[in-house]
Amino acid sequence: MEFIEKILAQENYAFMVLLAIGVLIIWFLPAMLALIFNRKHFKLILLACIPAGLSFIAWGGVMVWATTGKVVDKYSNKAKK
């Protein structure tokens, strides 16, 4: 907690802005990956990212969901044949 207080006590606003942008990129990384791998569920994954960022386990689950979209379709198409 001291580390966060120390950063906020500084008046280095550029660093704070870069830190906030970095946190947002990590927080919504599953949604960005869903644009590539699981476009069909992008909106749901984007909504799931909001609360999932508070839990590493939930965030990991959303990450798996975002990256396995085309793989599931690929194997379901093979199973239908």
Side-chain angles (χ1 to χ4, degrees), residues 70-81:
K70 289 183 181 176
V71 174
V72 171
D73 291 339
K74 178 181 168 183
Y75 287 114
S76 68
N77 289 337
K78 282 186 179 180
K80 289 178 185 176
K81 291 181 182 180

Side-chain angles (χ1 to χ4, degrees), residues 5-22:
E5 289 175 9
K6 190 176 181 181
I7 290 173
L8 294 176
Q10 297 175 358
E11 293 190 19
N12 189 353
Y13 296 116
F15 177 73
M16 285 190 234
V17 168
L18 287 174
L19 185 65
I21 290 170

Side-chain angles (χ1 to χ4, degrees), residues 26-65:
I26 298 296
W27 197 297
F28 289 100
L29 182 62
M32 290 182 250
L33 290 174
L35 283 172
I36 300 167
F37 296 112
N38 198 355
R39 191 175 291 265
K40 188 172 25 174
H41 294 166
F42 170 71
K43 290 179 186 176
L44 295 173
I45 292 170
L46 181 64
L47 288 174
C49 281
I50 297 168
L54 298 174
S55 165
F56 184 71
I57 295 171
W59 184 85
V62 174
M63 181 69 90
V64 168
W65 180 22

